[in-house]
Structures are given as C-alpha cells and as structure tokens.
Amino acid sequence: MILQVLIAAYGHDGIMRAAGLDLPETDGVGYLIGWQRAGCGMDIPPQLRRPDIDVIATDTIGLAANRNILLDHASAPYLKFSDDDVTLTAQDLTDLIKAFDDYPDADILLTRFRSPTRTPSAPANTFVIQDAPRGYWPTAIEINIRRSKVALRFDTRFGLNSSHYPYGEDDIYIVDAIRSGLTVRYVPVMVGRHEHPSTGERLHPLDRSFLTTKAAVLRRLHPRSWPLRLGAHIVRSLPVLFKTV
C-alpha cells in the first residue's frame, strides 16, 4: 500500500455517508475510516467490509481527535485527510501518488478539490506555503502528508465538536507544520469533490463563535499583529452585516 485515505465520520449519519461513497478500488490505495460512534450501536455497514478498508470505531468526540486517531493507526507512506462526504476517483488518487513522487522535497502536499460552493479558483502554479498568494489557505481535505517526515497531531481544542473552537484545526495544523520546519508545498492537482460549504464557510463572518475562533487562529499565526488583523476582518465583513439587516 502506497497511499492511505484517512476518512473522518461521526455518528450514524456519518458512517452511512461513508458507506455510500463508493470508494474506488485502486492499486496501492487503502482507506482508514475513523468512526466516532456518538452512541450509535449499529454494526459496520457491509459496503465498508472490504480488504482495502479498515474502520476504527471509538467513543471519542471532536473532529481533531478523530484525525489524530487515524494518524496513530495509519501505515502507508503517503496519507490523505478526507471526510465522509468527499467523493474520490481512482484518477484522483493516482494523481496524488504521482504528485508525491514528483515532489520528494515536500513533507506536506496541499492539493485542491472540486466544489460548486468554493469561490476562489485554484492557483495554477506550485509554490511553498511561505510564497502563497494573498488569500490562499488550505482546508483539511486538501492536506496530504509524507508519514515518514510528519509527526504532527491536530490541536484538539479546534475543530467540529471540540469544546473550545468550532473550526480552525486545519489552520493550526499548517501553522504548526511551518514552525516545525516542514516543507509545505501546494501543487495544482485536483483531488476529490465536496458538495457543501465547510464549517468555517457556513458561519457568519461576524458570528461570535466565528470571531472567537478567528482570534485564536490569528494569535497562533501572528502573535504580535493579530488584533489589527482581526479588526481588519471585522471592517471587511461589515457590508455582509448590513446586507442581512
């Protein structure tokens, strides 16, 4: 096995969505599903009982905790983070393996995904994250790691169903990667399709929980200038507020 796709699923609905993904059987690819049962007592769906699929069922809570469990159980050289509502094709996965092979310097590869709701277009050229164009930042399902080089874990205070901040675990992961000296490279490769807005995209930009999380992320990313950056975000978001009044 060369590549493992690490899929996070939560509760009954999550595992049923994962079962309906029709994960492509692809040479060199395996799937590891972290299923946080959330009180669900059902058995693993028959669609997921395949030699290339392993399911880890736990009673843990929090998306970041789930991703960490997946990392602890992963065994392939290349790993891709994914969710229970991301569809993949065999071509996506072979393209991702090729990208890892083409960029041996990259400890973390950032890709893009197809989406009817995501407005920014994917940059056309490769770059290291320090040279990213203004406004670019990846989501968790665009993060792919070289397991032998990356020992990072997600900060469980951030992310869906966490006790502190409802999103931002992917932002913090990349910040920690940069500060650890890892090479984080974007490549213009589309991997997967996601039909719905992310958690951060669904929150109003001036919602209290959004602003609290935004402040926490900015403090981690820009310890000195985060108040100014948060203020700039609020000013930019004011027209959105007036549109909803």
Side-chain angles (χ1 to χ4, degrees):
M1 182 166 52
I2 302 170
L3 169 69
Q4 238 173 344
V5 181
L6 311 183
I7 301 172
Y10 182 80
H12 172 273
D13 291 348
I15 197 64
M16 292 308 297
R17 279 194 298 269
L21 287 177
D22 193 22
L23 298 168
E25 297 185 45
T26 308
D27 287 345
V29 176
Y31 303 93
L32 190 58
I33 300 175
W35 177 25
Q36 293 176 313
R37 287 177 292 208
C40 177
M42 67 178 288
D43 291 334
I44 295 171
Q47 302 96 314
L48 301 178
R49 297 175 186 173
R50 284 176 16 194
D52 59 336
I53 299 176
D54 290 304
V55 179
I56 304 166
T58 70
D59 294 317
T60 59
I61 296 175
L63 179 56
N66 201 359
R67 296 205 196 281
N68 287 342
I69 289 168
L70 287 165
L71 285 170
D72 291 341
H73 288 81
S75 58
Y78 306 153
L79 305 176
K80 170 175 180 51
F81 295 113
S82 193
D83 288 333
D84 58 33
D85 56 355
V86 176
T87 56
L88 298 160
T89 68
Q91 188 63 55
D92 290 340
L93 301 172
T94 54
D95 287 347
L96 178 55
I97 292 172
K98 183 177 185 302
F100 269 112
D101 293 341
D102 288 346
Y103 294 96
D105 66 311
D107 303 318
I108 296 179
L109 273 182
L110 306 175
T111 53
R112 296 298 261 176
F113 61 90
R114 305 168 192 88
S115 170
T117 65
R118 194 176 177 89
T119 52
S121 59
N125 302 313
T126 183
F127 51 79
V128 292
I129 192 67
Q130 290 87 344
D131 298 328
R134 184 178 179 85
Y136 170 81
W137 201 256
T139 64
I141 62 173
E142 295 168 306
I143 299 174
N144 315 274
I145 69 175
R146 197 180 301 271
R147 191 171 63 89
S148 63
K149 298 292 186 69
V150 182
L152 287 177
R153 294 298 184 264
F154 285 87
D155 188 328
T156 56
R157 293 173 296 175
F158 294 82
L160 193 64
N161 293 324
S162 76
S163 59
H164 289 74
Y165 308 108
Y167 77 98
E169 80 285 356
D170 38 11
D171 303 87
I172 298 300
Y173 191 84
I174 293 300
V175 170
D176 289 347
I178 295 169
R179 292 185 175 164
S180 297
L182 296 171
T183 299
V184 182
R185 174 175 290 279
Y186 165 83
V187 291
V189 175
M190 289 286 185
V191 182
R193 181 175 181 84
H194 189 251
E195 298 289 340
H196 312 292
S198 67
T199 304
E201 291 172 328
R202 289 196 300 268
L203 291 172
H204 191 284
L206 294 177
D207 178 89
R208 182 175 180 178
S209 62
F210 183 94
L211 289 176
T212 302
T213 305
K214 184 83 172 177
V217 171
L218 287 174
R219 278 198 302 270
R220 190 83 152 255
L221 184 57
H222 305 287
R224 295 182 179 179
S225 63
W226 74 266
L228 291 175
R229 293 173 184 273
L230 183 63
H233 164 78
I234 292 172
V235 170
R236 287 195 303 269
S237 301
L238 287 176
V240 178
L241 176 63
F242 294 139
K243 285 181 182 179
T244 60
V245 174

